[in-house]
Structures are given as C-alpha cells and as structure tokens.
Amino acid sequence: MAAETRGPRRNPEEAFNAVGDHIGGDREQLLSFGTDEDLASVVQPGSDLVILAQVQSLFRWAQLSSIWPMTFGLACCAIEMMSAAGTRYDLDRFGAGAMRATPRQSDLMIVSGTVTAKMATRVKRLYDQMPDPKWVIAMGSCAIGGGPYFKHGYHVVKGVDMMIPVDVYVPGCPPRPEVLLEGLMRLQDKIRGKKGRLVRPKWIDDYITRIPD
Amino acid sequence: MILPKLQHAPASRPGDRARTMKSELLHINMGPQHPSTHGVLRLFITTDGEVVHSVTPYIGYLHRCAEKKAEGNTYHQYIVYTDRMDYLSAMNSNWGYCMAVEKLMEINGMGVEIPEYAEYVRVIIAELNRIASHLIAFGTYGLDIGAMTPFFHALREREAILNIFEKVCGARLMYSYYVVGGVKWDIPPDALEEIELFVKLFPDKLREYNELLTTNKIFVERTANVGVIDEDLAVAYGCTGPVLRGAGVKWDLRKDQGYSIYDRFDFEIPVGGGDMGTVGDCWDRYWVRMLEMEQSLAIVEQALQQMPREGEIMAEMPRRLKIPNSEVFFRSECPKGELGFYILSDGGDVPFRCKVRSPAFHNLHVIEEVGAGQMISDLVATVGSLDLVLGEIDR
Amino acid sequence: MTPAEVEAGLREVFGDRILSSSAVEEGRDTAWPRRIDVAVDALEEVCRYLRDSQGFDRLLCVSGIDYEGYDESGKGKHIEISRYEEDGSPTPTKPGSGDLAVVYHLHSRAHGGEVAIAARVRRTEPKVPSVGQVWPTALWAERETYDMYGIEFEGHPDLRRILLPEDWEGFPLRKDYAMPSRYHDVPLEGAPLAVRTSPREVREEKE
Ligand code: SF4
C-alpha cells in the first residue's frame, strides 16, 4: 500500500473493527474466518498491515510452513530422504528443509527405514525427546510393516507404529522422493486440520474389474 | 588427474599439545543416531580430554536377517535382498551375487554362457553405479569435514546417473536389474545417449570437485596425516577396496582375478601415494575414490565403443534352479571393497546357507586400532573416510 | 602354487588330522577355493602353518554352517524355517541334532591362491579354537559366528554378541531357531498403537 496513507498506530480492537467496516462483514464472521482452508488472511485497511486469524489457526499455519525434520536416517530409505532434501527435489520448497541433528529442535520425525529390535528403544526415546507438537512420517514399507523383512525377520519390528504413533504412511521400497513430498503435503493438510482425502486412482477400479475371479 | 601443487600438511598438528596433557577419562557415546556416523553406527569412545583413548564400535542396529532370508528364498528371489545390503551400489551387489550363483552352476556342469552384449551392459551399469556410490562418499565426506557445498554438487551428478538407471530398469535405488544369466532389460536407446552424454560431461565435473574440495587447504589439513592405515594393518584387518588401495596396495579383483570381461579394458588401479602426507591417511583414501571415478568413466567409455550394437540380454535359464550339493565362494570388487558370497547348496531350490562377506564390516573393524590416540574430530574424519554403509555391515 | 600342493603340504605336516578335501572327491582339483576339512584341535596350528609357510596372509571370511537337515544325498528339500502360529506365538521347534561347522576362507596375495579350511563340531559341544591371534580380522568375524550359531571360540579375548543385542535369546541362524515375537518391551509383531487422525484428537487424548 502506498506509504503516504500510513496513519498513527491504532490499538488492535480498533483495528479489528475498522477491518470489519472495511470489508463489510460483521465481527463474528471475521472471527470464524480461516478455520479450514484459509488459515489466515491478510487485509490492509488503509494503513496498517493486519493479519486476521484465529490464534490457533495462525499457529498451525506457522507450524505447517516450517516443519523441521530430524536428520534421522535408518536404512536405505534414508538415501531417498537425502535425495529429497538434495538439489533436485528440494524439500525446502515446502518449508521442511531445515534438517536438525537433534530431536530437541525438531518437530517431524521421518522414520526412514527398517526399525530393528535393537534400534526400536532408541527410536522411542528420540521420539520422546522431541518437543510437542510433533509428527511422525513412516517412510517405506519397512517402517510401515516390516516390508521385505516381514517373513523370517527375527530382528525386525514389523511396523514402527507399534512403538510410536504415526501420522502419515509413505509406501514404497524405497518411496521415491516425490512420494515423500506428497506425504509431507498430506501431513501439512493434517496439521491444517483438513480432513484426510482418499482418492483412489481410476486405474485401480479398472484393474480390479479385470481380475478374473 | 594433475593436482595443483600444494604444500604438504605440516608435520606438527594442532592437537599435539592436547595430546601431551592428561586428565580424567571420559566415556562418550556417539550414535546410533549421530549425523556423522553414516547411519545407525554407535561408537563408544573413551577420551582423555580431547584425545581418544579407545573406540569400540557397536553395530547391529540395522541387522535385518539377510542371511536367514536367503535360506527361505529361492536363488532368484534372493537377488532383491542383495540390493538392500549395500544400498548405495545395489547394482554391484546384484552382480556379485549373480556371478556367485553362475559360478556355482558352472561347478556343477550347469554352466550358462552370458551373452556378450549382456556382459557389456553389466559392466557399463556397474561402473556407473560405482561412480554414483563414490559420489555419495565424496559428498558426505565433505559434510563430515564441514563442507556443505560438495554434497549438493555430488547429488546433482548422482541424479544424472539415477536418471539413466531409471530409464534402464525403472527404479532409483533398488534395481534388481541383474539376474542369474544376464540382465533383465535392454538399455533403451535414449538411455544409451544419456550415458554417452554423461561420459562427455563428467570429467569437467570431476575437475570442479577437485577445485572445491581436494586441494582445499582446510580439507587437506583435516585429512592428511590423519587415520593412517598402513599396508600391514590393512591386510591384517582384512580391509579391502579403497581402504586397502589407499594404503598403497595395488589390489583390485577386476584386474587380479579378472572376472567378467574386465580384461578387455584398459584401466589403472589407483593407489594412495601419500601426496599430501603419509601413505594410507584419510586423504589418500579419499583421493583413491576420486581417481577410481575417473577410471570407471574410462571403462564405461571403452565399453560403449566395443559394445556390439545389439544382442541377447539373457542366457537360457531354467525357471527353477536346483543346484546339487556343492559350495562356492565368489568375490567381486564393489565400491566398498570385496563383496563375497559363500553359497552352500544341497540340491534344493533354496541355498542351504548363504554367507555374505561384507567389505564394510571388515573395514570398520580397523577403527578400533586406528581410532585410539586420535583427536575426536579426527576420528570423525577417519570414520568418514572408510565410507561405511550400515546396511551392508549389519546385513 | 596349486591347491593340490597346498593340500599335499598340509597332509605332510598334519597327517590324518586333515580329514577330507572336497575338491578331490568331485574331481576338480584345480578349482580354487578348495575346501579342506581339518580336525578341530588342529585348526589353529593349521592356520598358523598356512599363514607362515604357505603365504596365506589374508583371512577373507569366516562362516558358520548348521548341518541340521542337510541332505547329503543331494536331493535337497525346501527347508522350512520356523514360523508363527495363527495367534502370533512362535511355532515350537524340536532341537536339532546336526553338526555345526566353521569355514575360513583364506587368500594369498603372494601366489593368488584361495583355500577354505573347515572344522566340524558337535552341536552339543560347539567349541572351536580362535584364530584371532593369527589374523586379527578373525576377531569380529568370530564374534559374528558366535552371535549367529553359538559356536564358542576358545581363546577369543572378547567373545560377545556383535549384531544382536547382548541379551538376545537363541542363535538365529541355527535351523531349529524359533522366531521370537517380542524382545523385552519391544513388540516384533502385533497391532499398531491407536492411529492418530488429527492433531486435535491427539490433544484430547493427552488431556
Ligand atoms: S522399505 Fe525398502 S528401501 Fe526402505 S528401508 Fe525398507 S528395505 Fe530399505
């Protein structure tokens, strides 16, 4: 906005009312603004820049746009996680590029790889050390349910969700970086409070009908 | 490759004063979740101030029962598990296993002749994978030492190789491309073009890497004269691959055992010569890897020229392999060292026993010996220079 | 140096403590590596002799073998690895009776020969002398064999489990190993914890 219209500072209450006048809605409506899709909206009533949102949604919005994952590579999937953070896929575009080397500074744990009996207690401890709010992505079929080591895998925990709660499952062995990005976006949806979306691709239906009984 | 002249690292190092001081012993746990341990490796360190008194590696955090799996899967099915051992050079592990089974068949008079075209395809793909693996070693070693940039450069070129692999077999990391008797698919023409382009462009990139890291003063200071593994130590501890060659031993199975068609190519075996410090220090191991990338590139280039335009990609193979009582121990040269498969068959369709000799397992063992007496930061440099892959150590 | 020469040398020094050699039986006496079975008590001496007099300076690999269920006749069968019952408990297995064996693969840089030295022990008394003094690399390899097969290496300075946790029960690569479904408080099999659906619900759970 043009700089010359900048007036004296107003208190928030006043600003709020002014905004109400400006967009012609009532206060209640404004408060309920941004619960689902739009967490926050920026309006510029004449002078000051005002962000209107519920505090909770605003926080969520902040959380989802700067997820700090923990540098936590367990097995082969970690290499794909590295690729996702690397030059070509660039996790940073989604605000999740600040890989932290300590659980105390991170809010997302990407369990990338096979969790073994020896490692499971460590995974749990690392999870407990992360400050709230925290999220978990189970990356790869090993973390989801034992993957290729399901049978005869005497030392493999068949799914990290038996140890810690998981928010998003990213399937594949290993999942391509694109799939991890998709998983990250679904996690962002979840943080936003959006309902989960299950879209079955059309080809699956086609495929199912073609399977002989 | 010609290196710009650079002064040798000074004989006295910054840690020397700290080494002479004595204080109480401290126990430190490094890992299993530590950024510089390359996976889930745990090092239990006793230190005297800043100086490491003893190092005990604890491994097994990624023990995935690969050898038990072999006893429950047929010879063909087990190929996918060899992918998951050394996941940075899956093609090479695939190949090693396939060659072991082929040798086992040959011993029993069931020998298959691998078509010549398929042999060339195998060599080209395996050498590209070697480059990709060394690129990761180069990039993460930079990270360990504190240089972030090389990692991104290395990943960029690695993606180019992965692109090729994706065209060839559809996967980025777990290929299962080699099968007993040949390879699974032909190289599509556009992938071939891409390989040619890569061969043309990569030398420039190598030069770039060298400018970035190899002769960087800080890098040399941190790696030269550090973690010296000399010939005797390397042989006694069963080190192989760049660790052995870095110690000045000219030993490479591709030349010395001459498997597949490596005798048709003209390439060198780079060995560490102590250019920046002592023979067998971290810098030498790093440098051997850089030179090996160049040699691999030369092999790919020659293979592309010699390769027949088209041909069979797979020999006639029985669908169900049943191998009579016999055993084989076959080693092949992987990026990390000698990967060996010891297979004991008893006539069934599964191996009775399949033992994997993993190079990184033995390469890691030597850290107990080398680590003692170093500064902690040098220990990080040494561990990084061994290029460990925990999937292969723990299996 | 050919495999036949290596074996001839061994037989000269150790006599009937060299039990058998695989390559001769099958008429492949030029094929490396050749497997030579030796008596257990002679193992360390044989290794020392091979290193010092025959130039085998590298130990490549130490592998254990469990001969339970091995079909000598060569017909072979699909060996059932023990599994789980319907209710998730491991299938009980009866203890095996086959021999255990350790195989050492050696290599010489001087003459390029490879040889495999094997020692077979009774399952009830799995004790083998350690060759860690001959090749240091054996120390870890033997720990791994102990971990997987329970073969004890006498004279090993530090015989602990290496891959599995130290209090793990059983030796997994033995053919009669029963699959565990739990390790202390770590479930190896089972149902997931309650699945989270949205952050709000999680918060409610916690209160
Ligand atoms: S899911 Fe596949 S790629 Fe990922 S850790 Fe497991 S085996 Fe490795």
Side-chain angles (χ1 to χ4, degrees), chain A residues 74-78 80 111-115 139-144 146-149 170-175, chain B residues 62 64 80-81 84 87 173-174:
Chain A
L74 278 175
C76 357
C77 280
E80 286 300 69
V111 186
S112 56
T114 321
V115 184
M139 181 186 182
S141 42
C142 279
I144 294 175
Y149 301 94
V170 179
C173 180
Chain B
L62 192 52
R64 297 191 284 194
V80 295
Y81 293 98
R84 283 154 184 80
Y87 35 77
L173 200 61
M174 301 295 167

Side-chain angles (χ1 to χ4, degrees), chain B residues 291-365:
Chain B
L291 292 177
E292 261 177 32
M293 280 199 254
E294 209 175 51
Q295 295 305 323
S296 292
L297 207 66
I299 296 176
V300 174
E301 202 173 357
Q302 290 169 40
L304 282 175
Q305 279 166 5
Q306 296 175 13
M307 189 166 147
R309 281 298 114 220
E310 57 197 16
E312 288 287 310
I313 50 162
M314 218 174 130
E316 286 271 313
M317 282 288 302
R319 259 204 120 75
R320 200 144 172 231
L321 259 186
K322 283 184 170 243
I323 302 181
N325 289 24
S326 53
E327 57 185 70
V328 72
F329 182 63
F330 187 84
R331 293 169 293 143
S332 62
E333 188 73 37
C334 282
K336 312 282 181 304
E338 291 175 17
L339 177 75
F341 285 92
Y342 173 56
I343 305 177
L344 177 68
S345 60
D346 75 334
D349 53 3
V350 295
F352 184 79
R353 164 85 169 113
C354 178
K355 157 88 190 178
V356 186
R357 182 229 188 257
S358 75
F361 181 83
H362 294 276
N363 287 355
L364 174 62
H365 188 186

Side-chain angles (χ1 to χ4, degrees), chain A residues 71 88 116 118 148 151, chain B residues 33 59 61 64 69 81 159:
Chain A
T71 319
R88 185 159 156 202
T116 59
K118 207 170 174 179
K151 202 178 158 192
Chain B
Q33 203 285 110
I59 56 176
Y61 292 94
R64 297 191 284 194
K69 294 240 58 145
Y81 293 98
E159 289 291 342

